[in-house]
Amino acid sequence: MPVTKQLAAKLRQRNAELRALLQQHAGAAVGASENPPDVLDFKDVAAEDRQAIIDEATLANATAELHQISAALRRVDDGSYGECLDCGEPIDERRLFAMPATPFCTACQAIHERPAMPRR
């Protein structure tokens, strides 16, 4: 199986996993709002607040990853998958296998991660 097809299959699998996760959380949120508990104490409220923060972060990360995967699958379809979006050079296969949705080569990713210099 060619590398691009292998990675596209990996992307599609992760896409399905993330969509299932988001649907599961959406269903759980609807169920929770339909059956509120009768009595809550401070510990219950604190635990629910903490879980809500964790769920919010999980959903935000899943949504962001889903967007990256969708963009990567569009690049597979248009034939540009594996090319850095910034410099156009091929992305190392090892990087693609580690992070199939990555849009940048290692050098360009480093530039994106560099903190902005403050202006004087």
Side-chain angles (χ1 to χ4, degrees):
M1 174 183 278
V3 172
T4 301
K5 286 188 179 184
Q6 261 183 312
L7 292 169
K10 195 173 180 180
L11 287 165
R12 286 186 183 93
Q13 178 183 356
R14 184 64 179 150
N15 187 5
E17 291 169 1
L18 290 170
R19 288 184 184 281
L21 173 74
L22 291 172
Q23 287 177 348
Q24 178 185 4
H25 275 277
V30 169
S33 65
E34 292 174 355
N35 301 317
D38 293 330
V39 178
L40 290 175
D41 65 16
F42 290 116
K43 288 181 184 178
D44 292 337
V45 172
E48 285 181 9
D49 285 349
R50 183 178 62 242
Q51 188 60 47
I53 292 168
I54 291 168
D55 289 347
E56 185 177 330
T58 299
L59 294 176
N61 289 337
T63 301
E65 185 179 355
L66 191 59
H67 287 295
Q68 292 172 338
I69 289 171
S70 295
L73 288 170
R74 284 192 300 275
R75 291 192 302 276
V76 167
D77 290 341
D78 72 17
S80 66
Y81 180 76
E83 296 173 9
C84 178
L85 291 182
D86 281 354
C87 69
E89 292 295 318
I91 299 171
D92 189 290
E93 282 185 8
R94 294 171 294 184
R95 180 169 170 77
L96 289 172
F97 273 104
M99 299 181 305
T102 188
F104 306 114
C105 67
T106 305
C108 291
Q109 183 67 46
I111 292 168
H112 283 272
E113 292 176 357
R114 187 177 306 145
M117 298 300 290
R119 293 189 177 190
R120 293 182 181 221

